[in-house]
């Protein structure tokens, strides 16, 4: 790792990590970006080809990074046949095109699905993490052992900021599975290790969340939406879902009852909006009023709104139920390690080791350039995470953000900040200009 990247990460280890003005960080960001791009070009040939074709030799301005960023979809650009036909060695070849290390030397004999493929890679020192596959296809991203240690360190420093510190003093309740290789389960287990102790960490289920099941569910929903599923397929699908739900209900009730029985203790509760509404409904069945939780309980809520019918005021309902508790907020994603924490004024702050880039909708033009100050720019969020060495971390997301380029946040800390208005570009609008080019590079690499 280059010296500028190390310095940025060290700045993020300060007790008040969001204390550095953007102008002070800019020289370090540019130096780190220039060094990282030069190193990654030697390790990731696809990045080198992109830089040569874009005519980018050095990073002297943040806008120089734009043509080098990989769309988020790049990490699920493998042919579907690799999974369908269990071509695990070929899937490893694909992953190698996006990684700084060769993973093709791993023995995949006996592997039957994506979960076991990831398990085998991890057993051999490649900490691969997956997205949930709610679109029907999972993304896979490689981390090195050093990357993993840096992610744990970032979570330890950032979870709970600025309201509380994850010091192991709370009972931890995660309204989701304990076992799995996807990013949400990984974050939940990290949270449990930091907020609590093993005997006070509780998960909704110990049944493994399998990528195969999630992908199959997403594929079936898409076939139904497109009118391609037969009546027989739909009936079988609905029976399977009903059976799975029925098997889960007793466990859900027992889990929520345990949570409610501890409502007078300091807790850390994390889950999706729909899951928090389930907790509220169970509390009402038991006659527990709103606002009955310990005031130092930490409640984290987010996500889980796709394909789920929720009332328009679901956030307000969850807030009313828990009452006057601590509500932390973080903005992050599978593709990055370092969290962006939400302050008292509901603005997300950027840690020193993360370079934020706001692009136009097509992902081709930088909006938060060095000479823009004091404006709120709206566009597609992108970033470079200097904590990651196992791959090129420059990524374009599907998120639409409002980015305040002002020198200070409303909370008084140095800016810039992201407003609490984050949404996603709709499927029809989520077209990133360079996606086809990068995918073409990958196809060429696999064919060679």
């Amino acid at each position: 790792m280059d010296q500028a990247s190390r310095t940025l990460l060290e700045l993020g280890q300060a007790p008040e990590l969001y204390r550095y003005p953007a102008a002070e960080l800019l020289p370090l960001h540019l130096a780190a970006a220039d060094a990282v791009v030069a190193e990654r070009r030697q390790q990731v040939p696809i990045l080198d080809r992109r830089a040569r074709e874009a005519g980018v030799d050095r990073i002297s301005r943040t806008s120089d990074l734009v043509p080098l960023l990989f769309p988020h979809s790049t990490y699920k650009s493998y042919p579907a046949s690799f999974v369908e036909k269990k071509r695990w060695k070929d899937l490893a070849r694909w992953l190698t095109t996006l990684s700084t290390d060769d993973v093709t030397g791993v023995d995949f004999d006996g592997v039957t699905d994506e979960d076991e493929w990831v398990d085998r890679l991890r057993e051999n020192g490649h900490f691969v993490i997956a997205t949930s596959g709610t679109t029907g296809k999972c993304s896979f991203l490689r981390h090195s052992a050093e990357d993993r240690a840096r992610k744990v360190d970032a979570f330890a420093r950032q979870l709970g900021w600025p309201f509380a510190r994850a010091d192991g003093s709370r009972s931890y309740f995660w309204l989701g599975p304990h076992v799995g290789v996807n990013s949400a389960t990984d974050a939940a287990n990290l949270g449990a290790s930091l907020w609590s102790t093993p005997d006070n960490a509780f998960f909704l289920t110990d049944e493994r969340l399998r990528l195969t099941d999630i992908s199959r569910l997403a594929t079936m929903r898409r076939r139904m939406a497109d009118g391609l599923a037969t009546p027989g397929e739909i009936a079988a699908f609905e029976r399977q879902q009903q059976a799975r739900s029925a098997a889960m209900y007793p466990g859900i009730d027992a889990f929520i009852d345990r949570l409610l029985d501890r409502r007078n203790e300091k807790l850390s509760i994390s889950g999706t909006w729909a899951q928090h509404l389930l907790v509220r409904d169970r509390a009402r069945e038991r006659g527990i009023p709103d606002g009955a939780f310990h005031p130092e309980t930490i409640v984290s809520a987010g996500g889980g709104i796709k394909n789920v019918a929720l009332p328009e005021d679901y956030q307000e309902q969850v807030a009313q139920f828990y009452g006057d508790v601590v509500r932390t907020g973080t903005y992050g994603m599978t593709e990055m390690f370092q969290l962006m924490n939400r302050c008292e004024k509901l603005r997300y702050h950027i840690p020193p080791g993360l370079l934020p880039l706001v692009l136009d909708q097509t992902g081709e033009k930088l909006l938060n350039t060095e000479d823009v100050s004091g404006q709120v720019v709206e566009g597609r969020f992108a970033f470079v995470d200097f904590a990651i060495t196992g791959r090129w971390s420059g990524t374009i997301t599907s998120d639409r953000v409002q980015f305040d380029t002002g020198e200070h946040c409303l909370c008084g800390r140095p800016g810039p900040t992201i407003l609490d208005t984050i949404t996603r570009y709709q499927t029809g609008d989520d077209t990133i200009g360079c996606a086809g080019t990068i995918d073409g590079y990958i196809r060429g690499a696999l064919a060679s």
Side-chain angles (χ1 to χ4, degrees):
M1 179 177 288
D2 63 281
Q3 185 55 52
S5 294
R6 279 198 207 91
T7 300
L8 287 166
L9 297 178
E10 288 169 1
L11 293 177
Q13 294 176 352
E16 179 53 75
L17 68 161
Y18 301 115
R19 63 177 180 177
Y20 303 98
E24 182 179 330
L25 294 175
L26 180 59
L28 283 170
H29 279 156
L30 291 176
D34 187 51
V36 169
V37 167
E39 183 176 10
R40 296 293 173 272
R41 288 182 65 175
Q42 301 299 315
Q43 301 164 323
V44 183
I46 290 171
L47 175 63
D48 182 58
R49 179 176 174 182
R50 182 61 177 161
R52 284 188 283 108
E53 293 191 0
V56 177
D57 296 320
R58 297 292 303 273
I59 305 300
S60 57
R61 294 177 60 87
T62 50
S63 57
D64 294 334
L65 286 162
V66 174
L68 308 184
L69 302 173
F70 287 0
H72 62 94
S73 56
T74 298
Y75 294 99
K76 53 183 173 183
S77 61
Y78 53 88
S81 62
F82 286 2
V83 174
E84 294 166 357
K85 298 181 179 180
K86 305 184 185 304
R87 295 166 56 182
W88 307 122
K89 182 70 78 172
D90 288 334
L91 190 60
R93 285 181 58 230
W94 164 82
L95 183 63
T96 296
T97 67
L98 297 169
S99 303
T100 58
D101 199 6
D102 188 345
V103 305
T104 58
V106 175
D107 181 2
F108 297 106
D109 285 350
V111 170
T112 62
D113 58 27
E114 304 105 302
D115 297 271
E116 293 181 6
W117 180 75
V118 173
D119 287 343
R120 190 67 59 84
L121 286 166
R122 290 185 177 185
E123 291 166 4
N124 286 271
H126 306 289
F127 195 89
V128 172
I129 199 163
T131 58
S132 59
T134 53
T135 62
K137 204 176 183 185
C138 299
S139 296
F140 297 107
L141 301 96
R142 178 189 175 270
H143 304 156
S144 67
E146 294 79 10
D147 288 346
R148 181 62 179 172
R150 282 189 289 272
K151 181 177 181 179
V152 173
D153 178 67
F155 270 57
R157 289 182 285 103
Q158 294 171 322
L159 281 182
W161 183 95
F163 306 101
R165 182 175 178 81
D167 59 1
S169 65
R170 289 171 167 78
S171 293
Y172 180 85
F173 286 85
W174 160 240
L175 296 158
H178 188 197
V179 184
V181 299
N182 80 315
S183 55
T185 303
D186 181 59
N189 278 281
L190 279 178
S193 68
L194 295 167
W195 284 117
S196 188
T197 55
D199 56 337
N200 280 310
F202 305 100
F203 295 80
L204 181 60
T205 177
D206 287 328
E207 182 180 347
R208 181 169 184 150
L209 178 66
R210 303 197 70 85
L211 302 176
T212 306
D213 293 337
I214 301 173
S215 297
R216 188 181 299 120
L217 174 63
T219 300
M220 187 60 189
R221 281 178 172 159
R222 190 170 62 250
R223 284 176 52 81
M224 292 168 64
D226 294 341
L228 300 176
T230 67
E233 287 176 330
I234 295 173
F237 170 74
E238 290 178 344
R239 286 195 300 270
Q240 184 184 46
Q241 292 305 110
Q242 289 170 358
R244 290 176 64 89
S245 297
M248 283 292 294
Y249 276 138
I252 291 174
D253 286 346
F255 175 85
I256 294 176
D257 283 339
R258 173 178 279 174
L259 186 159
L260 294 172
D261 289 344
R262 295 193 175 206
R263 64 188 181 275
N264 294 320
E265 305 173 16
K266 291 193 303 182
L267 309 177
S268 176
I269 309 170
S270 184
T272 67
W273 293 107
Q275 291 168 333
H276 284 295
L277 288 175
L278 284 177
V279 177
R280 188 274 311 273
D281 293 344
R282 181 65 175 169
R284 288 182 175 174
E285 290 176 5
R286 291 181 49 177
I288 297 173
D290 291 349
F293 286 81
H294 192 289
E296 293 185 52
T297 284
I298 293 173
V299 175
S300 299
I305 60 177
K306 293 180 182 178
N307 304 309
V308 178
L310 295 176
E312 290 187 4
D313 62 341
Y314 63 91
Q315 296 189 29
E316 290 79 5
Q317 289 191 33
V318 171
Q320 180 179 339
F321 166 63
Y322 285 110
D324 188 18
V325 295
V326 179
R327 292 183 177 83
T328 61
T330 56
Y331 175 39
M333 58 205 70
T334 304
E335 294 84 0
M336 70 169 58
F337 285 177
Q338 303 177 80
L339 304 174
M340 290 170 277
N341 294 101
R342 192 177 64 194
C343 70
E344 303 89 339
K345 297 297 182 180
L346 305 183
R347 299 289 187 95
Y348 294 96
H349 289 251
I350 294 94
L354 195 72
L355 174 58
L357 304 164
V358 183
L359 312 180
D360 65 352
Q361 184 172 318
T362 63
E364 297 172 336
K365 179 182 178 182
L366 183 68
L367 303 181
N368 64 319
T369 57
E370 288 94 336
D371 54 357
V372 173
S373 180
Q375 303 176 36
V376 175
V377 296
E378 180 175 311
R380 188 184 291 274
F381 186 67
F383 64 88
V384 178
D385 187 338
F386 295 113
I388 297 173
T389 61
R391 55 184 168 80
W392 163 229
S393 67
T395 306
I396 306 175
T397 78
S398 61
D399 293 346
R400 186 200 306 264
V401 301
Q402 291 181 304
F403 188 86
D404 190 341
T405 63
E407 293 184 2
H408 288 85
C409 175
L410 296 176
C411 70
R413 299 179 181 91
T417 55
I418 296 174
L419 279 62
D420 196 24
T421 55
I422 302 162
T423 59
R424 290 201 173 199
Y425 284 97
Q426 299 300 314
T427 302
D429 298 328
D430 193 18
T431 302
I432 301 173
C434 62
T437 302
I438 301 297
D439 287 356
Y441 294 164
I442 295 171
R443 288 194 297 271
L446 291 175
S448 62

